């Protein structure tokens, strides 16, 4: 069995050689500029709860994989001995990344790392006894930054305002400063300079003042989330210049005025949330031009107009939430055309008239809440539609509504129609005699009494109808 033996030895030799080569390559590639290495170690010491980092990473931090640290060779940089490694990404706060120490301070040194592309500080500053300030180096130190993604999220003990120097990190594409309850004050207008921004998320802070109109200059923006702050004043009409925008969330602020007509220029919009504000007045004409809009979330605003029928022409709509908005008028027949609709929430308004029968043709409908309105007439839903919705149908609090047949209706919060009233209407329309069918548990046991009372009831009902 000589040949296999010798060939496996040859293989082993070859493997050894390859291993040797790759180790050598690693040793060369791992080389790191001493100043950058020192800056990295200082960042680690400012933030990380791992006290032994300096010793453990003694040789070269980029030579072995460290959680939360990603290194890359210099972009387009030379080869061989010249291939320096650089810190490309730092990720602190959530395991398996390094958690932050109790006395962590905002790591200014990170912004001196020449090739840093992404910095994450998530759930990092949370010690109520060690409030730390959100600060950045002066603009000159930031202008050479290549940072593309900065994420400062879920830091309950990080305080201060949004540093205006953010505007100097021109390379930023994704900026997330979210869920930091102590971050307050106004948004610097200068953020309008960040022309490379694709996503801006400033949600769940304590920001105040107006929404800067210069955000309209961020022409590449795809997502803008300013929800759950205390922004006041009107929605800037310049936001209509964000023609790439797919998601706009301004909900849960203190915004007033109307919805600017320019939102109808946001042709890429799929998600629009403006709920929990002080917005009032007509919705802009042309909303149905938003061909891709799937979510229109506007509940809890004092809109106070008749429910616009144009909303029924927003062809792709999946969720429409306009509860608690002082809406009047009737539910437009056009809503029966929203074939993708899964959720329609119109509760607690002043809607009157009949429920459009077309709603029961909406095969995807899953949640329908029309409670607390002034709707009346017979509920036009068949058994299949009622089963489709189950407990997610709520029609309660509409005294004028009734269902024709209890046997097919689960508890949707309305009573069975007065059979005589139905018959009365039928007869008024058809000119035939009244009171043929009486359904419902309530009348069955008391048949004789009901029979005696019936002529009077029918007379009263017909009077009321006339
Ligand atoms: C800003 O850059 C200057 C000059 O390079 C340097 O001396 C200074 O320490 C830097 N400041 C910060 C906060 O990084
Ligand atoms: C909203 O604005 C009104 C009037 O400007 C003010 O009275 C109210 O305190 C504000 N609410 C919040 C939550 O900021
Ligand atoms: C309905 O309208 C009445 C009078 O116009 C008003 O007082 C009431 O607050 C409105 N209800 C809702 C829920 O908007
Ligand atoms: C409908 O809305 C009311 C609020 O007015 C709420 O109490 C109820 O739980 C909702 N019903 C369903 C089925 O979601």
């Amino acid at each position: 069995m000589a040949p296999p033996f010798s060939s496996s030895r040859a293989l082993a030799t070859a493997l050894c050689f390859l291993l040797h080569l790759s180790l050598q390559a690693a040793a060369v590639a791992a080389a790191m500029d001493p100043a950058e290495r020192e800056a990295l170690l200082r960042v680690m010491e400012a933030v990380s709860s791992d006290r032994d980092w300096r010793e453990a990473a003694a040789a070269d931090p980029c030579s072995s994989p460290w959680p939360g640290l990603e290194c890359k060779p210099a972009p387009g940089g030379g080869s061989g001995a010249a291939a320096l490694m650089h810190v490309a990404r730092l990720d602190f706060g959530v395991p398996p990344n390094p958690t932050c120490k109790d006395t962590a301070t905002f790591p200014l040194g990170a912004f001196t790392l020449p090739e840093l592309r992404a910095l994450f500080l998530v759930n990092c500053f949370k010690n109520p006894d060690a409030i730390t300030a959100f600060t950045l180096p002066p603009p000159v130190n930031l202008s050479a930054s290549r940072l593309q993604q900065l994420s400062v999220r879920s830091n309950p003990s990080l305080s201060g305002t949004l540093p205006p120097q953010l505007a100097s990190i021109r390379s930023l594409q994704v900026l997330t400063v979210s869920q930091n309850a102590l971050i307050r004050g106004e948004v610097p207008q200068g953020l309008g300079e960040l022309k490379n921004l694709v996503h801006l998320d400033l949600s769940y802070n304590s920001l105040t003042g107006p929404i800067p109109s210069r955000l309209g200059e961020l022409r590449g923006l795809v997502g803008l989330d300013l929800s759950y702050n205390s922004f006041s004043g009107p929605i800037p009409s310049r936001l209509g210049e964000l023609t790439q925008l797919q998601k706009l969330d301004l909900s849960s602020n203190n915004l007033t005025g109307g919805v600017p007509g320019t939102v109808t220029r946001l042709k890429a919009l799929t998600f629009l949330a403006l709920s929990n504000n002080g917005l009032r007045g007509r919705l802009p004409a042309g909303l149905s031009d938003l061909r891709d809009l799937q979510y229109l979330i506007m509940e809890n605003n004092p809109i106070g107009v008749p429910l616009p029928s144009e909303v029924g022409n927003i062809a792709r709509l999946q969720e429409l939430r306009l509860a608690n908005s002082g809406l009047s008028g009737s539910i437009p027949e056009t809503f029966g055309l929203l074939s993708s609709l899964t959720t329609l929430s119109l509760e607690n308004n002043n809607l009157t008239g009949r429920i459009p029968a077309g709603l029961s043709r909406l095969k995807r409908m899953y949640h329908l809440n029309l409670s607390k309105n002034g709707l009346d007439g017979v509920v036009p839903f068949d058994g299949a539609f009622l089963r489709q919705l189950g407990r997610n149908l709520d029609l309660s609090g509409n005294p004028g509504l009734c269902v024709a047949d209890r046997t097919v209706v689960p508890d949707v919060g309305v009573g069975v129609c007065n059979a005589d009233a139905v018959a009365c209407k039928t007869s008024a329309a058809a000119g035939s005699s009244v009171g043929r069918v009486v359904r419902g548990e309530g009348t069955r046991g008391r048949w004789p009494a009901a029979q005696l009372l019936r002529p009077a009831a029918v007379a009263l009902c017909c009077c009321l109808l006339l």
Side-chain angles (χ1 to χ4, degrees), residues 189 191-195 213-220 238-239 241-242:
Q189 283 276 1
L191 290 195
E193 312 268 330
L194 297 174
K195 305 288 189 240
S213 57
R214 285 197 63 195
L215 294 187
E217 293 169 26
L218 304 173
R219 297 298 161 77
R238 286 199 68 188
L239 292 190
E241 295 167 28
L242 302 173

Side-chain angles (χ1 to χ4, degrees), residues 321 323-324 345-349 367-372 389-396:
R321 296 182 179 272
N324 209 6
S345 159
L346 296 172
E347 68 267 21
N348 208 17
N349 281 297
H367 194 168
L368 176 58
N369 199 338
L370 303 178
S371 68
K372 298 192 194 156
L389 291 167
R391 290 181 171 277
N392 294 323
L393 173 64
D394 194 341
L395 302 174
S396 63

Side-chain angles (χ1 to χ4, degrees), residues 372-384:
K372 298 192 194 156
N373 279 290
L375 300 168
D376 60 22
V378 181
V379 174
F381 301 151
D382 60 16

Side-chain angles (χ1 to χ4, degrees), residues 175-330:
L175 175 58
T176 303
V177 180
S178 171
Q179 298 171 45
N180 311 290
L182 298 183
I183 299 287
R184 55 180 200 282
E186 301 198 2
V187 174
Q189 283 276 1
L191 290 195
E193 312 268 330
L194 297 174
K195 305 288 189 240
N196 293 306
L197 267 192
V198 178
H199 288 281
L200 176 59
D201 179 357
L202 303 177
S203 63
Y204 292 90
N205 297 299
S206 301
L207 300 169
T208 53
I211 294 175
S213 57
R214 285 197 63 195
L215 294 187
E217 293 169 26
L218 304 173
R219 297 298 161 77
L221 216 55
V222 168
L224 175 59
D225 189 348
L226 304 178
S227 64
Y228 290 88
N229 282 286
S230 294
F231 290 114
S232 55
I235 298 174
S237 59
R238 286 199 68 188
L239 292 190
E241 295 167 28
L242 302 173
T243 53
Q244 306 296 310
L245 205 61
Q246 293 173 17
K247 177 185 170 182
L248 176 59
D249 193 344
L250 305 178
S251 57
S252 297
N253 279 293
N254 208 359
L255 301 170
T256 50
V259 178
T262 51
V263 304
T264 62
R265 296 198 208 139
L266 303 175
K267 298 283 193 278
L269 216 54
T270 62
F271 181 99
L272 175 61
L274 304 172
S275 51
N276 302 318
N277 278 295
L279 301 171
R280 59 174 77 236
R282 291 195 179 284
L283 301 183
L287 268 187
S288 60
D289 295 344
L290 301 178
R291 297 256 160 248
D292 291 326
L293 193 64
Q294 294 169 15
Y295 297 84
L296 178 54
I297 317 285
M298 275 202 72
E299 70 254 22
N300 297 322
N301 281 289
I303 303 174
V305 298
L307 180 54
S309 64
E310 195 187 0
V311 174
N313 299 329
I314 308 175
R316 295 246 165 88
L317 220 47
Q318 291 178 23
E319 268 193 49
L320 177 58
R321 296 182 179 272
L322 286 165
N324 209 6
S325 300
L327 296 172
S328 56
S330 55

Side-chain angles (χ1 to χ4, degrees), residues 369-458:
N369 199 338
L370 303 178
S371 68
K372 298 192 194 156
N373 279 290
L375 300 168
D376 60 22
V378 181
V379 174
F381 301 151
D382 60 16
F385 188 69
L386 293 166
R387 277 190 297 278
Q388 178 183 326
L389 291 167
R391 290 181 171 277
N392 294 323
L393 173 64
D394 194 341
L395 302 174
S396 63
N398 291 282
L401 274 185
C402 63
V403 289
D405 187 348
R406 171 66 73 192
T407 60
V408 296
V409 182
D411 185 19
V412 295
V414 301
V416 180
C417 299
N418 180 325
D420 292 327
V422 176
C424 167
K425 276 175 225 169
T426 314
S427 72
S432 68
S433 65
V434 298
R436 289 187 306 270
V437 191
V438 178
R439 286 206 190 92
E441 293 131 32
T443 49
R444 215 171 278 146
R446 295 174 280 114
W447 181 247
Q451 214 165 22
L452 282 177
L453 287 173
R454 217 160 52 151
V458 170

